[in-house]
Amino acid sequence: MKALIRSSAAVSAFILALSSSGVLIAQAATTGTTTTPTPMTSTATSDLTAGPLTLTAVPSFDFGTATLTGTTGDKVPGSSVTGALKVTNPGQIGGWQVTVAGTPFTDTSGTALTGTILSLDGLATNPITADDSTNTSTLPTFVTPETISTSATVVESAAPSTSTSHIGIGSYTTSYDAAASSLAVPSSTVAGTYTSTLTWTMSNAPA
């Protein structure tokens, strides 16, 4: 009988020990510390190259019908402008310019006017607008008013960009004003329909 009691006591002690150790294990699991993994870094790279300078559109000017007076300096105001000057500079930082040269005004028989003065002007103080509203580059410079001759004349330009100031990068539209443009003809002008061909050129010459 004593042996049985001793065995029961031993079993009870063993169960109690297991229970105690289980509680301790559970407590250790719930009170353990949490560690944060160390952050890692990587890179994203893009190699962007500049595209070519491009004229995408140029304007045409109509001076309508005017009556000659035979006096010095007949000045015919512009009647309408068709289209606008559109330029694109995809990422070039060296600066650029647009020039215009005009052939002599000639009639259908090939007779040329001499002494004409063609003057072009913009629609506003600075008629240049960026085509993209998110463009943060400085606008190009508009030359106003400009007298067009047979020699190339600068009408718009952008200075070279710097690391902190981008100038004339992106796409731009320049609106010309018919009313502010004019064609002056000498008193010796003979009646007729006269036309001049305007050649617009964009180059990477710095302003």
Side-chain angles (χ1 to χ4, degrees):
M1 184 66 179
K2 291 181 180 180
L4 180 59
I5 293 172
R6 285 197 297 270
S7 298
S8 299
V11 169
S12 298
F14 178 71
I15 293 173
L16 180 61
L18 286 178
S19 299
S20 299
S21 62
V23 170
L24 291 176
I25 292 172
Q27 289 177 345
T30 57
T31 60
T33 58
T34 302
T35 59
T36 301
T38 302
M40 298 181 68
T41 61
S42 64
T43 60
T45 304
S46 178
D47 185 11
L48 304 176
T49 59
L53 299 172
T54 307
L55 279 174
T56 57
V58 294
S60 293
F61 301 84
D62 186 356
F63 291 89
T65 301
T67 301
L68 297 171
T69 65
T71 60
T72 302
D74 269 339
K75 196 170 186 179
V76 183
S79 175
S80 64
V81 177
T82 302
L85 173 62
K86 291 180 175 290
V87 301
T88 299
N89 170 22
Q92 294 197 30
I93 63 173
W96 54 266
Q97 64 182 21
V98 176
T99 60
V100 180
T103 62
F105 280 83
T106 58
D107 62 14
T108 53
S109 67
T111 302
L113 287 176
T114 58
T116 59
I117 301 175
L118 173 60
S119 180
L120 305 181
D121 206 345
L123 193 60
T125 302
N126 189 352
I128 305 174
T129 57
D131 295 344
D132 182 359
S133 61
T134 64
N135 189 340
T136 59
S137 179
T138 301
L139 292 174
T141 300
F142 179 77
V143 180
T144 176
E146 192 58 84
T147 299
I148 308 304
S149 67
T150 55
S151 300
T153 303
V154 177
V155 293
E156 189 170 309
S157 64
S161 295
T162 66
S163 59
T164 57
S165 176
H166 296 162
I167 305 173
I169 297 177
S171 296
Y172 300 90
T173 296
T174 303
S175 300
Y176 280 86
D177 185 9
S181 302
S182 64
L183 174 63
V185 297
S187 59
S188 57
T189 299
V190 175
T193 300
Y194 296 86
T195 303
S196 171
T197 299
L198 303 179
T199 299
W200 305 72
T201 303
M202 186 178 186
S203 64
N204 58 0

